[in-house]
Amino acid sequence: MIVTTTLTAGRAGRPVGELLREWRDRRRISQLDLAISAEISTRHLSFVETGRSKPSRDMVLRLGEHLEVPLRERNRLLLAAGYAPAYPESGLGDPELAAVRQAVRQLMTSHEPYPAAVVDRGWNLVDANASVSIMTDLVSPTLMTPPVNVLRLTLHPEGMAPYVLNLGEWRAHLLGRLRRQVTQTADPVLTELLEELLTYPCDDPVPEVELPGPGDIFVPLRLRHDGVDLTFFSTVSTFGTPLDITVAELVIESFFPADTATAEYLRAHARHGME
């Protein structure tokens, strides 16, 4: 198992107290509330944030836990405080993650003939089942050069965008998810991705707030494939108790048919692919 050791101390060498205060502000938690939940005094927390007191390794980990800091960022907090990273970052192909790979593959295979894909923290495609071809067949081959970014694949004018019948609605949904992820993680890579996606053209109205229409219970993906209109809804799965950064950042998105016609088309498309 590989432990990441190439991280710089904090963000551009910033002290751990400043980083902790930033995460507390990001989570909109008062010093008093954090001190109570972490079972420390408000005075001690104030001293840590202002740099008057150096936190112990256990204190950094405890505050990171109560602030729901992502594992990758908890390692950065530890480095900023002068400690070694606590959370390993394995390669997905490493032997230690064999059970994870098997579980992911089993989930995707069992989801056939409906599409399912696995992405990493940057929305790059890690794995997918065969039925995802119903989406990727629509895009320019240039967008399929690894690493394949699924948000770019979906919203780029040479990607799925021209075939998404409710592009404005689906674009708002995806960008909303990405904005929330940027807020939760403070990841500069995701910030750059968001800025890029915002430059992509979209002729459809993009709602600022997702509001349900009559009978709506989810934001659908309406896709035209070979002249047939398909409608999907999706679910997102993550690992419940990860202690490895790679595992913590994996997301499995599974698409389901939202109507009988879509289900029948997907089953027929899968049968045709096996012939």
Side-chain angles (χ1 to χ4, degrees):
M1 187 169 288
I2 302 173
V3 177
T4 303
T5 57
T6 57
L7 298 174
T8 58
R11 294 186 182 280
R14 294 165 60 192
V16 65
E18 184 179 322
L19 295 175
L20 285 167
R21 184 172 65 251
E22 181 179 281
W23 279 107
R24 182 174 59 77
D25 290 342
R26 185 179 294 275
R27 297 293 185 253
R28 299 183 179 181
I29 299 174
S30 69
Q31 272 192 349
L32 177 60
D33 288 340
L34 178 57
I36 291 173
S37 64
E39 299 182 344
I40 61 175
S41 71
T42 306
R43 178 185 176 88
H44 183 40
L45 177 58
S46 177
F47 278 20
V48 168
E49 289 188 351
T50 57
R52 296 177 64 183
S53 176
K54 178 182 177 180
S56 67
R57 183 176 185 273
D58 288 344
M59 178 63 68
V60 174
L61 291 172
R62 188 191 312 175
L63 292 174
E65 175 72 20
H66 285 280
L67 288 169
E68 298 182 355
V69 176
L71 301 189
R72 181 180 297 276
E73 298 300 325
R74 294 186 201 185
N75 275 351
R76 289 194 172 104
L77 290 174
L78 288 166
L79 284 167
Y83 303 111
Y87 300 96
E89 183 176 4
S90 306
L92 197 57
D94 289 356
E96 292 85 352
L97 296 191
V100 171
R101 294 194 303 272
Q102 182 178 358
V104 168
R105 175 46 53 181
Q106 182 176 348
L107 282 172
M108 290 193 298
T109 302
S110 63
H111 195 64
E112 297 280 7
Y114 309 143
V118 185
V119 299
D120 62 17
R121 70 186 180 102
W123 292 76
N124 297 308
L125 189 64
V126 173
D127 200 356
N129 66 9
S131 295
V132 163
S133 64
I134 206 165
M135 300 174 177
T136 56
D137 285 349
L138 302 172
V139 309
S140 168
T142 58
L143 294 174
M144 293 301 297
T145 302
V148 177
N149 186 278
V150 298
L151 291 184
R152 188 177 293 117
L153 200 71
T154 303
L155 300 179
H156 195 282
E158 294 183 6
M160 288 171 51
Y163 306 94
V164 178
L165 303 178
N166 60 331
L167 180 59
E169 183 180 37
W170 192 247
R171 174 188 171 99
H173 168 67
L174 291 181
L175 294 183
R177 284 174 59 181
L178 182 55
R179 283 192 184 96
R180 290 189 291 273
Q181 192 176 358
V182 167
T183 299
Q184 292 167 359
T185 65
D187 190 324
V189 174
L190 295 178
T191 301
E192 291 180 9
L193 178 60
L194 177 60
E195 292 173 353
E196 175 192 336
L197 298 176
L198 287 170
T199 67
Y200 292 175
C202 180
D203 295 332
D204 290 353
V206 180
E208 293 185 9
V209 179
E210 294 176 0
L211 294 174
D216 288 347
I217 57 174
F218 49 76
V219 178
L221 169 61
R222 304 187 191 279
L223 186 68
R224 179 162 292 164
H225 186 271
D226 286 344
V228 179
D229 294 352
L230 308 174
T231 305
F232 299 90
F233 68 90
S234 68
T235 64
V236 174
S237 304
T238 58
F239 286 86
T241 55
L243 292 175
D244 183 281
I245 293 174
T246 300
V247 177
E249 293 174 344
L250 288 179
V251 174
I252 305 169
E253 184 140 15
S254 305
F255 290 86
F256 293 82
D259 53 45
T260 303
T262 300
E264 291 177 349
Y265 184 86
L266 292 172
R267 287 193 289 268
H269 185 268
R271 288 195 299 270
H272 179 71
M274 292 186 295
E275 292 176 356

